Amino acid sequence: MSVTAPLGFRAAGVAAGIKPGGARDLALVVNDGPSRAAAGVFTANRVKAAPVLWSQQVLAGGRLRAVVLNSGGANACTGTEGFQDTHATAEKVAAALEDSAGEVAVCSTGLIGERLPMDALLSGVETAAGQLSRDGGLAAADAIRTTDTVSKISFKRAAGYMVGGMAKGAGMLAPALATMLCVITTDADLTSEELDAVLRRATSRTFDRLDTDGCMSTNDTVLLLASGAAGVKPDLAEFEQKVHEVCADLARQLLVDAEGASKAIAIEVVGAASEADAVTVGRAVARSNLLKCAVHGEDPNWGRVLAAVGTTDAVFEPDRLNVAINGIWICRGGAVGDDRSKVDMRPRDVTITVDLSAGPHTATVHTTDLTADYVHENSAYSS
Amino acid sequence: MSVTAPLGFRAAGVAAGIKPGGARDLALVVNDGPSRAAAGVFTANRVKAAPVLWSQQVLAGGRLRAVVLNSGGANACTGTEGFQDTHATAEKVAAALEDSAGEVAVCSTGLIGERLPMDALLSGVETAAGQLSRDGGLAAADAIRTTDTVSKISFKRAAGYMVGGMAKGAGMLAPALATMLCVITTDADLTSEELDAVLRRATSRTFDRLDTDGCMSTNDTVLLLASGAAGVKPDLAEFEQKVHEVCADLARQLLVDAEGASKAIAIEVVGAASEADAVTVGRAVARSNLLKCAVHGEDPNWGRVLAAVGTTDAVFEPDRLNVAINGIWICRGGAVGDDRSKVDMRPRDVTITVDLSAGPHTATVHTTDLTADYVHENSAYSS
């Protein structure tokens, strides 16, 4: 499973001593080829962590031999010293693999604004390099967790090849990559240009449509590595479908594990004049703290849905808006619709359907409810 | 005090039976002239409540004889029947005053999506009209409360005239009028054009810079009425200063009473290339749930400030950002600055200063922390 399901990949996850308490905190994923084609997408936040700046440069070459990831520290807002730390980490991986640092991506996650403990980290890289194995995918996925309560892994089989992935992310989930680290691997044979196009489309419709708290991270990174070890040139449409499935599966796992959440809410926008309108409306609704509180209280408060829709510039007429919650159309034509007592809000999954009555386009944005546990977790925990 | 401090105004606040429990829920403010000049600003939400649609039409004429306000129901998303209810309310006020409904503004606040109990409301209008008095301002301010724990009133004396005001608002406070109802009165003599210009500038720098939960209401209304009863043509700059002071005072009262809040946070943006940039950055920071949780936990988490700044398109370089919390510059040049242990987060008032190092402009946006009490209040209470 995870990133080592496809042929050509080895991984390891070790406790380097970056996190207090001895939990795993350093992961290494290595592509043994024969191909090293790779692509990446990164946070849209203009305040980018050092590892993001480094990995963007590396990915410009379209090739990756390895990815090193640490939890326990984001190495964001750490100045030129922080960038040098990332560089040193890549060099250490390169030395262990007798390869070039220019093909080593670095990902970090954890508290912003603190330097990483480099002695511990570099010796962890050495340990991880010594433990690389074909079944190291689970340990690697475990090592990148921060407030995640479970490891997130996924795996899909296709015609003669496989796609595997791991991700971390539990808070600060918002558009432009949903605050996360994710590594996806395949043993199919593709060029970096093909991987780039597929990855951008897949992430734009999965991770980019997750918005649990409207907060965008400084460290988001999604990488796609192809070893070509299966010797298969895949059908591109099928490959894109598999990558999409892995991304969607991991995105769902992030959503379900979101900090303090008790409900998984799908905001399904239909009848939009464009897909962009549908996404805009979905995000506005997903970011309404008042609505998220109402869902937590199992109150089918469609007024708060309309109040959020009204803040957008999407094409719609207020008196043609319809809203259903869990299938009951409690708002029709911008006013009261079916009996709200018919809405069953008890299931963990809540679907809010917004019909803009303005066209044929649709999009779904996923979010969670707002709970006292979220407040507690993010008041007590520095991240 | 309140709206009846200036000469020429009478008011009343009564229990009409719109709210369960017998609390005051209907206010009437009457301008006895000699002037009836008036201006209004309304929510930017495209889903507007019936009373907003009505009052916008009325204000096109630039004159107001009276304002009738109810709590206990927003009359939003109630279709054409809801608009007819608003119309009937204005007609009832007009009949009681033997005047024209075309000069009666209507304001409603409370739950969205339910029709108002019109029998109770109309008989309440009659009662209120019978109780109008020169000292009815406090009862009127009390009658417009929803989840507000206190009445919000303000009053400033100027050269030969006065400015008074009342407001309600405790949740759903966001830009574009901070989800509120507000009536401001003066006995100075001004044209409706003068009032309009003054009111727009004053609200844009006070109520519009309040953002407690990013949620914009369907009912926001701020009205400014001038009776001319003091017989004074005021100096316009002084008058604008007084109106600004009343608005700022009421805005501060809304902030302090915001649902579930334990901290009042000022996001002071300096060094901006434009005032618009400063406001954009201030709002982005004010809307970060993660930062609001951190402040609640008294954690000077400047990383969450930078992560919010990075989501904007304001002019800045990440490595020239400085952040102070309560006067301690804990982030300098986009990286660690002074010792975070020096920051005292215990006071109720927390000031976060963001220096963009990009120009001479500034703006301050006010918000609150995010607390379990906010979640509780908005889960348990339908509004």
Side-chain angles (χ1 to χ4, degrees), chain B residues 343-358:
Chain B
V343 181
D344 182 2
M345 298 282 286
R346 289 168 302 174
R348 184 185 174 97
D349 282 296
V350 173
T351 300
I352 299 178
T353 311
V354 179
D355 175 8
L356 297 177
S357 304

Side-chain angles (χ1 to χ4, degrees), chain B residues 34-122:
Chain B
S35 170
R36 293 186 180 184
V41 287
F42 300 91
T43 182
N45 201 310
R46 291 172 60 201
V47 176
K48 293 186 206 306
V52 169
L53 296 172
W54 170 267
S55 299
Q56 281 184 316
Q57 286 180 19
V58 167
L59 261 298
R63 289 163 57 89
L64 279 185
R65 174 71 206 283
V67 186
V68 57
L69 311 93
N70 76 274
S71 53
N75 196 10
C77 308
T78 44
T80 51
E81 294 88 349
F83 191 81
Q84 286 160 6
D85 291 344
T86 290
H87 187 178
T89 306
E91 290 288 358
K92 184 77 178 178
V93 171
L97 301 175
E98 298 182 339
D99 214 305
S100 154
E103 297 189 2
V104 177
V106 181
C107 303
S108 299
T109 179
L111 187 64
I112 298 175
E114 291 193 358
R115 294 278 300 279
L116 290 167
M118 287 305 291
D119 287 351
L121 196 151
L122 294 180

Side-chain angles (χ1 to χ4, degrees), chain A residues 45-47 77 113 172 289-290 293 299 302 304 306-307 310 312 314 316 318 334-336 370 374-375 378-379 381-383, chain B residues 45-47 77 113 172 289-290 293 299 302 304 306-307 310 312 314 316 318 334-336 370 374-375 378-379 381-383:
Chain A
N45 201 311
R46 290 171 60 200
V47 175
C77 308
M172 232 191 201
N289 278 354
L290 286 173
C293 285
D299 169 18
W302 59 269
R304 294 179 181 176
L306 257 59
T312 72
F316 71 85
V336 182
L370 182 57
Y374 173 89
V375 173
N378 287 294
S379 304
Y381 166 79
S382 250
S383 62
Chain B
N45 201 310
R46 291 172 60 201
V47 176
C77 308
M172 230 190 204
N289 278 355
L290 286 173
C293 286
D299 169 19
W302 60 268
R304 291 180 183 176
L306 257 60
T312 71
F316 71 84
V336 183
L370 182 57
Y374 173 90
V375 174
N378 287 295
S379 303
Y381 166 80
S382 250
S383 62

Side-chain angles (χ1 to χ4, degrees), chain B residues 221-244:
Chain B
T221 301
V222 182
L223 301 173
L224 174 56
L225 289 71
S227 69
V232 174
K233 251 312 206 191
D235 172 74
L236 267 182
E238 185 202 45
F239 178 71
E240 179 164 338
Q241 179 57 30
K242 294 296 166 188
V243 172
H244 179 95

Side-chain angles (χ1 to χ4, degrees), chain A residues 137-345:
Chain A
L138 291 180
D142 180 55
I144 60 176
R145 294 194 295 134
T146 52
T147 57
D148 307 65
T149 64
V150 294
S151 300
K152 283 99 177 179
I153 58 172
S154 185
F155 157 74
K156 302 288 168 189
R157 195 178 294 277
Y161 66 96
M162 284 182 281
V163 178
M166 67 177 187
K168 72 79 43 180
M172 232 191 201
L173 296 178
L177 289 189
T179 308
M180 48 170 305
L181 302 181
C182 175
V183 179
I184 303 168
T185 56
T186 181
D187 47 16
D189 185 21
L190 298 110
T191 67
S192 61
E193 291 76 17
E194 289 167 336
L195 295 173
D196 186 72
V198 164
L199 187 62
R200 281 180 198 286
R201 279 196 295 267
T203 55
S204 74
R205 293 193 168 186
T206 53
F207 298 121
D208 276 358
R209 294 197 182 168
L210 203 59
D211 190 338
T212 66
D213 61 7
C215 292
M216 191 195 295
S217 136
T218 49
N219 288 58
D220 294 330
T221 301
V222 182
L223 302 173
L224 174 55
L225 289 71
S227 70
V232 173
K233 252 315 209 186
D235 172 73
L236 267 182
E238 185 202 47
F239 178 71
E240 179 164 339
Q241 179 58 31
K242 293 296 166 187
V243 172
H244 179 95
E245 284 171 17
V246 165
C247 289
D249 185 8
L250 291 171
R252 170 78 193 169
Q253 293 177 49
L254 296 179
L255 183 74
V256 169
D257 195 30
E259 287 168 350
S262 73
K263 302 277 190 191
I265 310 171
I267 317 287
E268 183 183 78
V269 182
V270 303
S274 67
E275 186 174 345
D277 267 12
V279 172
T280 297
V281 168
R283 274 188 189 155
V285 175
R287 287 186 173 187
S288 167
N289 278 354
L290 286 173
L291 175 67
K292 289 153 68 86
C293 285
V295 172
H296 179 56
E298 303 192 343
D299 169 18
N301 196 315
W302 59 269
R304 294 179 181 176
V305 176
L306 257 59
V309 174
T311 64
T312 72
D313 58 3
V315 177
F316 71 85
E317 294 300 325
D319 60 0
R320 297 192 64 203
L321 294 172
N322 307 307
V323 176
I325 301 186
N326 284 349
I328 308 297
W329 290 92
I330 50 178
C331 167
R332 293 179 189 272
V336 182
D338 297 351
D339 183 359
R340 51 178 270 150
S341 70
K342 288 186 187 154
V343 181
D344 183 1
M345 298 282 286

